[in-house]
Amino acid sequence: ANKHKPWIETEYQGIVMENDNTVLLNPPLFALDKDAPLHYAGEICGFRVHNGPTGSSSVQFEAVVLDRSTGEGLVRSKEPLDCESQREHSFTIQAYDCGEGPDGANSKKSHKATVHVRVNDVNEFSPVFVERRYEASVPEGRLFDRIVRVEALDADCSPQYSQICFYDIITPSVPFVIDNDGNIKNTEPLDSKRQRVHTFWVTAFDCGKNRAQADAQVVVTVKPSCKPGWIGWSKRVEYTPGSGSIPLFPSLHLETCEETVWNIQATVELQTGHIGKGCDRDSYSDRSVRRLCGAVRGEVDLLPPPSPAANWTSALPTLPSSDSSLVFSFNGSTHVAVVPDSVAAAVSGDHFTLQLWMRRGGINTQPPTNQARGNHREEETIVCSTVKNDDSFSHYSLSVHGCRLSLFYWPDVSAARPVKFLWKLEQVCDSEWHHLSLSVQFPSVTLYVDGVTFDPALIHDNGVIPNPAPRQRLVIGACWGNDCQLLGDNEGYDTPLSDLHYVGGYRGLLSGVTVRPGSVEPHSVVECLYACREGLDFGDLETLGSGMKVHVNPSQSVLVLEGDDIESFNRAVQQVTYRNSLRFATPGVRPLKLTTSLRCFNEESCLTLRQLEGYLVVLQPDAPQISLSGVGPHLARPAPEFEGPRGVPLFPELRIVCSLSHAVNTAAQGMEGGGEPAKTLMSDAVAHTLDGCEVQPLGEELNPEREELLVDMDALRERGLEIINTTAYIAITGAESISVYEDVLRSVRYRLAKGSARFERRFRLSCSEMNGRYTSNELTLEVNFLHSLDSLYHPSHLLASQQQFLHPSHHSGELSGHTLPNPHRNSVVPGAATVIIMVCVGFLVVMVIMGVFRIRSIHRRGEGARGGSKEDSGQWDDSALTIIVNPMESYESRMGISADTEGEGEEDEEVVESPDNANDDQRIIIKKEGRDGNPRRY
């Protein structure tokens, strides 16, 4: 009977070679049955294969019995296995015996055993390169750790045959080596001049020593040596006035020579400190600029030019300025300006605007950096003032200390505590010109520096401070009292300001210090007045790349770019521009600097770029041509019109035209002539602004008792113009349009007192703009007074004419170039009169010479005829000689086309017998030319 089940191991490990089907098991496959040696019951008839964990491996394997009595079996695959497809297989196996008879009845089965089969790899695949061609570019002259890396793969499944054990360069004599990882490097520095491109082949071997099916090609291009830095830098940049904004670096880009950087920062600096007061601004005077910008009037000049009326600035040293303003120097000790009480009283109140130009340290002093770092020097006071209000006194002082600007304000010196407003500004200690505008509308205080607003930090000073003396005082350049404090109680009430002890002296330059009481200026007006008209700018912020930052300082003299991408940074640098909004920019050189700092991942090998220096040249602008016309060289009117109450207008038809001339290439003319294109000057009329015109009498100054120039003062005040009216000239100043100046100058009249009419008066007119930078042509006008015949033939007039002729040196400035009116035409021709007078004088000289010659000849004949007569018997007695000159000549005869002056003189000669020597052929010449129409005797 079949009492027992077969027995097998619980787990088997098997190995099968790739492309084979016999599985070698460990331990070997044997099934045991305790019913042995019984026939059938103790024999193993077969093995059954069941699915493993994956459920598919059983299909690929089978188990067969090799010996039924011993139970030996064999596991084999139904078809060859592929390691690359599946490397391991798992399934279960079960043995069964032959039962109780040939038919296998009552057969028993063993338990199921797990079989793990691993497919062993066969090196059937060769390495294959990922790419057939590898390319790289390297700069010359350097050794690299890796130029390029090649890579090959093997399709075998086992590490033994799938790994690439080594690579090899099969091209001989190349300066490159390759390691087992495929990294290629050069063995010597490469030279682009000797060989620009290196081409070689590499192969690969797996660990089964199979060579790659196909070799790979490597191409290395040697680039010329790379120098990190800016490429395309132009040291000189030219700017034509009127061009608006121009890019400073249109082709500039940064070369890092493949060095990896993660931060780039470039600083562009434009130096304009030598142009005017820190930069290019309007060249008009301060008063004209205020008018053009719409500023409120009523400012009081605390540092006016020294004069008898403003003598408190006479002791201050002055320096020349490029914009015609007066610059005062303060040395911190003896240079103090004490403003008179009459001027200080005009700026009372707690609403005022204090404006000034300031430059710390003087003309050649470096920035006071030591003060900015804690040097405890005393404060330098710019303005110190105690102001009388309606029923109280207030005090304020503006001081600088290091890089700090402070306003000490005491609203009521008898009650309120003082308040100190503090600003920390780089502009205070950089030794450059800056404009400060301080608007006080307590408790609100606004500071503008070069047109930019700065907010203060409000500080209450809790120290023990004596109350200021209730006395109006205003000092520039220092303050009075000890430690820059004020006098307390009744101390020093009657002490003159000039005798006080001053402390806290200011060291530096000041200009244009003004105070205007009342409402503060709007921001737009302050920006128009003092903002720079030139500076750095960025072209288009919308084109700014991702991660880029742009910063421009308030004065637009420094621009900073920051970014992390080189391409975006290069595009941003090319957008940096220079702008100048002035039509007539100040020509000259503006130095440029470009400083660059790089931050790399490897800080030790990070690049360092040198600072680039260049300059921007602002070319000379096309000078405007101011042309005065419409006024003839002569103005002739009857004398009574000049003696009227309104006088006579001097320039009734004046026309002022401003034009710009520029060169134009006439290419067509040049081609027709076969030469280079010619250049012609074209003139375009432009709308312009004048800032001054002057009417000046030539010769003697105006005599206030006899003559005067009249100007419509109401029209001047309405247009905001100013006038200086003296006997030497009349100056009309103020920035206004050409049409306004035409209307004003057409209203200028010349008036004479009764009986003061002369023969002529000459005036000169000229205009200018931009504070005298450009001037017009000088227009000369000769005014002639037409006299009636009755006045000309009046005895008193005749006597005056004879005296003027006999003494020409006394009135040469009045008589030159004049003629008397013709009796028939009642007109004056001054040019012809001058010619006639010169002919008369020349003719007299000729007659005298002829008379002397005639006397000598007669004397010789008398001596020969009388033969020894007395010496004086042959001399001509010329005591009765009379020469009569007739100036009355018709205008037609004097202005005749074919008339000859000398010929007319000969025709007008008459012979008159001498009363003393009738027998001698001596003649008396009568010349009918003169200035008063009556013969004159000499």
Side-chain angles (χ1 to χ4, degrees):
N2 190 9
K3 297 180 180 179
H4 299 91
K5 296 186 297 184
W7 178 90
I8 59 176
E9 298 287 343
T10 58
E11 186 177 15
Y12 294 91
Q13 301 291 334
I15 297 175
V16 61
M17 296 302 294
E18 190 179 18
N19 301 325
D20 195 3
N21 57 357
T22 302
V23 178
L24 300 179
L25 293 178
N26 183 23
L29 180 59
F30 283 93
L32 302 177
D33 195 324
K34 290 183 179 182
D35 291 329
L38 294 177
H39 188 57
Y40 297 112
E43 294 178 350
I44 303 300
C45 281
F47 295 92
R48 289 189 179 94
V49 176
H50 301 280
N51 292 336
T54 59
S56 61
S57 297
S58 61
V59 180
Q60 300 180 9
F61 293 91
E62 62 181 359
V64 295
V65 178
L66 299 179
D67 189 350
R68 296 175 66 176
S69 59
T70 60
E72 181 181 2
L74 175 66
V75 177
R76 61 188 179 188
S77 63
K78 297 179 182 179
E79 58 185 15
L81 300 177
D82 188 5
C83 177
E84 286 73 32
S85 298
Q86 188 173 353
R87 187 175 182 184
E88 292 184 352
H89 300 269
S90 296
F91 53 91
T92 60
I93 189 171
Q94 190 178 34
Y96 61 91
D97 57 16
C98 296
E100 295 178 354
D103 56 355
N106 198 19
S107 175
K108 292 185 181 294
K109 302 176 183 179
S110 67
H111 63 274
K112 293 181 179 181
T114 303
V115 179
H116 299 283
V117 178
R118 186 181 64 185
V119 182
N120 277 354
D121 186 26
V122 175
N123 192 11
E124 58 182 334
F125 295 101
S126 298
V128 177
F129 282 97
V130 176
E131 297 180 12
R132 296 296 304 274
R133 179 185 175 93
Y134 293 88
E135 295 182 359
S137 298
V138 293
E140 65 179 353
R142 293 173 58 185
L143 292 175
F144 297 91
D145 295 334
R146 185 179 72 177
I147 296 177
V148 65
R149 181 178 183 270
V150 299
E151 184 181 7
L153 300 177
D154 196 305
D156 290 315
C157 64
S158 64
Q160 179 181 2
Y161 300 124
S162 64
Q163 291 184 355
I164 306 300
C165 280
F166 62 94
Y167 294 88
D168 189 21
I169 298 177
I170 60 177
T171 302
S173 303
V174 291
F176 300 94
V177 293
I178 188 171
D179 58 15
N180 293 338
D181 295 327
N183 296 315
I184 298 175
K185 63 180 181 180
N186 57 329
T187 57
E188 62 184 35
L190 304 178
D191 188 357
S192 63
K193 297 180 180 179
R194 186 173 62 182
Q195 186 172 353
R196 181 68 180 272
V197 179
H198 294 267
T199 304
F200 52 93
W201 295 85
V202 297
T203 189
F205 293 88
D206 61 16
C207 294
K209 295 186 178 180
N210 276 358
R211 181 176 172 175
Q213 292 180 354
D215 300 329
Q217 185 185 37
V218 180
V219 178
V220 178
T221 303
V222 183
K223 298 187 299 184
S225 58
C226 176
K227 295 181 180 179
W230 290 102
I231 299 176
W233 170 263
S234 179
K235 189 174 183 180
R236 174 188 173 97
V237 181
E238 292 186 354
Y239 177 81
T240 303
S243 302
S245 296
I246 63 168
L248 291 176
F249 321 113
S251 59
L252 188 66
H253 65 278
L254 180 63
E255 176 61 57
T256 59
C257 297
E258 299 183 358
E259 182 72 28
T260 305
V261 297
W262 64 272
N263 182 267
I264 313 171
Q265 181 174 320
T267 302
V268 183
E269 182 180 357
L270 177 69
Q271 299 179 4
T272 58
H274 61 290
I275 305 295
K277 288 188 175 70
C279 63
D280 209 356
R281 295 182 172 90
D282 284 312
S283 299
Y284 296 107
S285 63
D286 289 343
R287 193 176 298 273
S288 297
V289 172
R290 291 185 61 83
R291 170 172 172 75
L292 291 175
C293 293
V296 182
R297 302 177 186 175
E299 69 275 2
V300 178
D301 194 354
L302 301 183
L303 288 180
S307 65
N311 58 358
W312 66 89
T313 59
S314 58
L316 297 177
T318 59
L319 298 176
S321 174
S322 59
D323 57 357
S324 76
S325 60
L326 205 56
V327 177
F328 295 91
S329 176
F330 294 82
N331 61 1
S333 56
T334 58
H335 297 162
V336 178
V338 181
V339 182
D341 293 343
S342 58
V343 179
V347 293
S348 60
D350 57 356
H351 288 54
F352 62 90
T353 300
L354 175 65
Q355 296 181 345
L356 55 94
W357 286 98
M358 179 187 72
R359 180 175 181 178
R360 292 284 300 282
I363 196 67
N364 294 319
T365 305
Q366 296 297 324
T369 54
N370 57 336
Q371 297 185 28
R373 287 164 173 77
N375 192 347
H376 298 287
R377 296 183 60 180
E378 65 177 7
E379 290 187 349
E380 300 178 18
T381 304
I382 301 175
V383 179
C384 189
S385 174
T386 300
V387 180
K388 185 180 187 310
N389 302 322
D390 296 335
D391 53 356
S392 63
F393 286 85
S394 61
H395 171 80
Y396 70 89
S397 63
L398 183 65
S399 306
V400 289
H401 185 202
C403 291
R404 291 177 173 84
L405 177 73
S406 61
L407 175 68
F408 183 83
Y409 189 75
W410 206 312
D412 189 350
V413 298
S414 61
R417 296 187 61 84
V419 181
K420 192 172 186 179
F421 300 88
L422 187 67
W423 296 266
K424 186 175 181 180
L425 305 170
E426 296 180 358
Q427 293 89 335
V428 176
C429 56
D430 61 359
S431 287
E432 299 292 342
W433 278 108
H434 296 285
H435 183 268
L436 273 62
S437 178
L438 193 67
S439 297
V440 178
Q441 199 168 6
F442 193 78
S444 175
V445 176
T446 305
L447 174 66
Y448 298 94
V449 179
D450 297 330
V452 180
T453 312
F454 290 89
D455 296 327
L458 187 61
I459 299 177
H460 290 270
D461 196 339
N462 297 322
V464 179
I465 301 176
N467 292 345
R471 174 183 172 182
Q472 185 160 279
R473 295 168 176 171
L474 180 56
V475 177
I476 311 295
C479 198
W480 58 91
N482 295 326
D483 297 332
C484 203
Q485 301 298 329
L486 307 179
L487 298 175
D489 301 331
N490 296 325
E491 179 184 359
Y493 273 37
D494 301 327
T495 305
L497 287 176
S498 58
D499 298 336
L500 290 178
H501 173 64
Y502 297 102
V503 294
Y506 171 72
R507 298 173 179 84
L509 306 178
L510 292 177
S511 178
V513 182
T514 62
V515 174
R516 183 185 55 78
S519 60
V520 299
E521 299 279 10
H523 182 209
S524 59
V525 173
V526 177
E527 186 176 9
C528 172
L529 286 172
Y530 307 108
C532 291
R533 297 295 187 265
E534 67 173 339
L536 300 173
D537 202 354
F538 193 80
D540 188 3
L541 291 175
E542 295 182 356
T543 62
L544 197 62
S546 175
M548 290 295 304
K549 299 178 182 179
V550 180
H551 173 72
V552 184
N553 69 334
S555 61
Q556 293 186 317
S557 61
V558 177
L559 185 144
V560 180
L561 287 174
E562 186 175 357
D564 52 10
D565 181 66
I566 295 180
E567 296 299 327
S568 300
F569 197 87
N570 288 335
R571 289 193 298 269
V573 168
Q574 295 172 5
Q575 292 288 327
V576 177
T577 61
Y578 168 80
R579 59 148 191 91
N580 195 318
S581 59
L582 293 178
R583 177 183 292 179
F584 304 106
T586 303
V589 175
R590 278 83 162 160
L592 268 175
K593 291 183 180 180
L594 177 60
T595 306
T596 311
S597 63
L598 304 177
R599 302 184 68 180
C600 310
F601 292 101
N602 187 1
E603 295 292 341
E604 296 180 356
S605 63
C606 197
L607 301 175
T608 302
L609 304 182
R610 64 181 181 88
Q611 185 184 64
L612 298 180
E613 296 184 358
Y615 53 92
L616 172 75
V617 180
V618 178
L619 302 178
Q620 186 76 28
D622 293 332
Q625 300 175 359
I626 309 172
S627 175
L628 307 180
S629 61
V631 178
H634 305 286
L635 175 64
R637 293 288 186 276
E641 293 187 14
F642 290 94
E643 297 173 354
R646 293 178 53 82
V648 175
L650 294 179
F651 317 106
E653 299 178 358
L654 175 65
R655 186 163 176 257
I656 305 177
V657 176
C658 182
S659 60
L660 291 176
S661 297
H662 53 276
V664 176
N665 290 330
T666 55
Q669 297 179 4
M671 293 179 64
E672 291 176 1
E676 296 182 356
K679 289 187 177 181
T680 359
L681 287 179
M682 300 294 293
S683 184
D684 298 331
V686 294
H688 222 57
T689 301
L690 301 180
D691 61 2
C693 288
E694 182 178 289
V695 180
Q696 178 184 6
L698 299 179
E700 297 179 352
E701 296 184 1
L702 295 177
N703 188 347
E705 298 179 357
R706 297 172 48 193
E707 53 188 344
E708 62 179 341
L709 290 174
L710 305 177
V711 183
D712 189 352
M713 301 301 297
D714 295 335
L716 290 178
R717 284 191 292 268
E718 180 182 354
R719 292 173 168 89
L721 299 177
E722 299 181 355
I723 184 172
I724 301 175
N725 195 345
T726 66
T727 58
Y729 63 92
I730 285 183
I732 302 172
T733 59
E736 259 300 349
S737 63
I738 288 179
S739 59
V740 171
Y741 268 94
E742 284 181 341
D743 295 340
V744 171
L745 293 175
R746 287 169 184 171
S747 66
V748 175
R749 296 173 174 270
Y750 179 56
R751 190 175 70 86
L752 293 172
K754 292 291 184 180
S756 301
R758 304 183 301 178
F759 290 104
E760 73 169 10
R761 184 49 128 155
R762 302 178 68 193
F763 295 93
R764 182 171 58 201
L765 172 65
S766 62
C767 295
S768 65
E769 66 169 328
M770 301 192 73
N771 216 12
R773 182 175 172 184
Y774 302 110
T775 58
S776 69
N777 61 312
E778 293 184 352
L779 190 64
T780 303
L781 175 67
E782 187 175 290
V783 179
N784 304 115
F785 312 103
L786 305 182
H787 301 272
S788 63
L789 290 176
D790 295 337
S791 61
L792 288 176
Y793 286 104
H794 195 273
S796 62
H797 181 79
L798 177 62
L799 181 60
S801 301
Q802 290 177 352
Q803 291 177 354
Q804 291 179 358
F805 190 83
L806 291 173
H807 306 282
S809 60
H810 295 174
H811 306 279
S812 60
E814 300 177 357
L815 293 176
S816 61
H818 295 276
T819 29
L820 293 177
N822 188 282
H824 303 288
R825 301 287 298 272
N826 197 22
S827 61
V828 178
V829 184
T834 305
V835 174
I836 293 174
I837 292 176
M838 295 177 62
V839 171
C840 293
V841 174
F843 211 92
L844 288 175
V845 174
V846 173
M847 292 300 101
V848 171
I849 295 175
M850 292 179 63
V852 173
F853 179 75
R854 183 66 59 84
I855 292 172
R856 292 183 178 178
S857 62
I858 294 174
H859 180 65
R860 293 192 187 96
R861 288 199 304 268
E863 288 180 351
R866 295 177 178 85
S869 61
K870 292 183 179 179
E871 181 179 356
D872 58 340
S873 61
Q875 294 182 353
W876 176 32
D877 186 7
D878 57 354
S879 60
L881 178 63
T882 302
I883 299 176
I884 302 175
V885 179
N886 182 13
M888 292 302 297
E889 181 181 6
S890 66
Y891 177 74
E892 291 81 357
S893 63
R894 284 185 285 116
M895 299 301 296
I897 297 177
S898 60
D900 183 85
T901 305
E902 295 182 1
E904 291 177 357
E906 294 176 359
E907 293 175 0
D908 293 339
E909 293 179 0
E910 297 182 4
V911 180
V912 180
E913 295 294 334
S914 175
D916 296 329
N917 297 311
N919 296 329
D920 298 333
D921 58 346
Q922 299 180 7
R923 293 180 296 175
I924 298 176
I925 308 301
I926 301 177
K927 184 69 175 176
K928 296 182 180 179
E929 292 183 0
R931 294 180 57 91
D932 51 7
N934 295 293
R936 297 179 182 174
R937 296 179 178 271
Y938 294 89

